[in-house]
Amino acid sequence: MNGLSERGYAEHAGISRGAVQKARKTGRLVLFADGSINAAASDARRGSATDPDQQMRSRGGLSTANDGPAVSSSGDSTSYIKARTALTVYQAQERQLSIQKKKGVLVDRARAETLVFRLARQERDLWVTWPTRVAALVAAQLSADMEKASGKAVTIETAILQRVLETHVREQLDALADLRVSLE
């Protein structure tokens, strides 16, 4: 026998025999022609093929050297840990946004822009039709007030008053058209 048995390798690697059998089935072990395990080559292959986080969990999360978190010796484990951290942060932010949406604190930007546009359009439409609706009432009231003040019958043409009101309302709406809503 050139290499180690499953039990020997399990003891060497500090893992269970079941983990060795699983690693053998998944091709993470290097075997000699006689079926025994090449320990050095298998350690290297398992280190590169096994998730560093899983390796730490299988060791109980602690290294024996300094009782701190266990970190594998492969160079890319730090990039894995950084990627894992970034994913966790992203998921936490996503959950926070979801909670804010459910509470009604956060709204969809496209929906908010649509609602603001619709509100502005309704407001503009009301102002455009306002002179038509009030011109006759304003003309009658002004005529009555002027007649009361002067004692003479005064008639204000509704059509003229309506045109004057429309002109001033349109000027005001043109000034308001320059306003832009920014949701940023």
Side-chain angles (χ1 to χ4, degrees):
M1 182 181 259
N2 294 334
L4 298 174
S5 66
E6 286 181 354
R7 285 188 189 168
Y9 186 72
E11 188 177 314
H12 161 80
I15 57 177
S16 69
R17 184 166 178 239
V20 172
Q21 290 171 341
K22 184 176 179 181
R24 176 180 251 172
K25 285 179 188 174
T26 58
R28 287 183 287 156
L29 297 180
V30 178
L31 304 175
F32 287 113
D34 64 355
S36 62
I37 301 169
N38 180 338
S42 292
D43 287 344
R45 185 178 287 177
R46 268 186 352 100
S48 66
T50 305
D51 174 2
D53 191 38
Q54 180 64 34
Q55 289 176 7
M56 286 192 301
R57 284 194 301 264
S58 70
R59 290 187 208 126
L62 298 174
S63 69
T64 56
N66 59 9
D67 288 2
V71 177
S72 84
S73 60
S74 66
D76 58 340
S77 67
T78 56
S79 63
Y80 172 79
I81 292 170
K82 287 179 185 177
R84 181 81 172 209
T85 302
L87 175 65
T88 304
V89 168
Y90 174 75
Q91 288 172 336
Q93 290 171 343
E94 214 173 31
R95 281 189 216 107
Q96 186 177 17
L97 289 175
S98 175
I99 290 168
Q100 287 177 340
K101 271 186 180 179
K102 287 177 184 175
K103 286 182 175 179
V105 174
L106 190 65
V107 295
D108 180 40
R109 181 187 179 119
R111 184 170 183 262
E113 287 175 347
T114 301
L115 291 174
V116 167
F117 178 80
R118 188 180 306 155
L119 177 65
R121 173 66 57 95
Q122 289 173 346
E123 190 76 19
R124 181 190 62 90
D125 291 347
L126 285 171
W127 276 108
V128 166
T129 60
W130 181 76
T132 306
R133 287 183 283 128
V134 300
L137 295 172
V138 172
Q141 188 175 359
L142 283 174
S143 295
D145 288 348
M146 290 176 73
E147 186 175 326
K148 188 190 234 182
S150 67
K152 297 179 187 175
V154 177
T155 303
I156 298 177
E157 289 292 325
T158 303
I160 294 172
L161 183 60
Q162 182 177 337
R163 280 194 301 269
V164 169
L165 288 174
E166 284 175 351
T167 302
H168 289 289
V169 166
R170 291 226 179 254
E171 287 174 3
Q172 181 64 21
L173 289 175
D174 288 342
L176 290 174
D178 294 336
L179 295 177
R180 296 286 176 226
V181 175
S182 176
L183 298 177
E184 294 178 22

